[in-house]
Amino acid sequence: DAGVIQSPRHEVTEMGQEVTLRCKPISGHDYLFWYRQTMMRGLELLIYFNNNVPIDDSGMPEDRFSAKMPNASFSTLKIQPSEPRDSAVYFCASRPPGGRREQFFGPGTRLTVL
Amino acid sequence: TQLLEQSPQFLSIQEGENLTVYCNSSSVFSSLQWYRQEPGEGPVLLVTVVTGGEVKKLKRLTFQFGDARKDSSLHITAAQPGDTGLYLCAGPGSKHQFGAGTQVVVTP
């Protein structure tokens, strides 16, 4: 059974360019989370969805960041325009319905903005 | 937001030694989770502790939830190189607040 799938695994771009990160959650999971991880700030929650609806985006750093979940099997995190300080590893995670609170993480996308 | 503080930040030990890492908060949690993250991968859940005073064992790993449900510890007995990783604790709720983690390195 496939886990959470993220693409690309690595992205190198120049400042000012648009970056789109993609995530396919585990089938049947109704929660989807986007995180950013850096050495300085650790693992930060950016936004999460429940049944494709954004519930809390208070962790999104600024208007340059946006996330969508058009259907239960796909989500995107977009940065436009990108800046060097956006360099980080971005993780997507999904969680099954019910009382079990385990999150299943994807392998992450390592973003480098030059 | 309930903050989780983890200590130490970094721990380097030899294979066969024991180690303990801590997760503390000033807030009471209904539950706490421990994850391990290996290089180049996402975190993977190890255990969820729910009851104050609870002790759970996972092979050589022992997890304890404080009586007051404000703190938790992870003890590894006879550490092996495969235990190397970033150990993260996380609070409950959909926002799932994570601590900064303890980086553990076990050398042969």
Side-chain angles (χ1 to χ4, degrees), chain A residues 9 31 33 35 37 42-43 45 48 56 58 91 95 101-103 105-107, chain B residues 33 35 37 40-45 86 88 92-96 98-100:
Chain A
R9 290 297 309 274
Y31 279 87
F33 304 82
Y35 290 89
Q37 187 175 41
L43 195 62
L45 178 64
Y48 76 93
D56 189 337
S58 59
F91 288 100
R95 196 178 87 192
R101 296 264 178 191
E102 177 178 1
Q103 292 191 35
F105 283 79
Chain B
Q33 296 184 327
Y35 287 77
Q37 183 179 15
E41 299 181 8
V44 175
L45 181 69
L86 179 67
L88 297 157
S94 295
K95 294 198 75 167
H96 226 65
F98 279 84

Side-chain angles (χ1 to χ4, degrees), chain A residues 5 7 12 18 30 51 61 72 78 93 108:
Chain A
I5 299 172
S7 64
V12 180
E18 177 180 296
D30 61 347
N51 291 319
K78 186 174 293 186

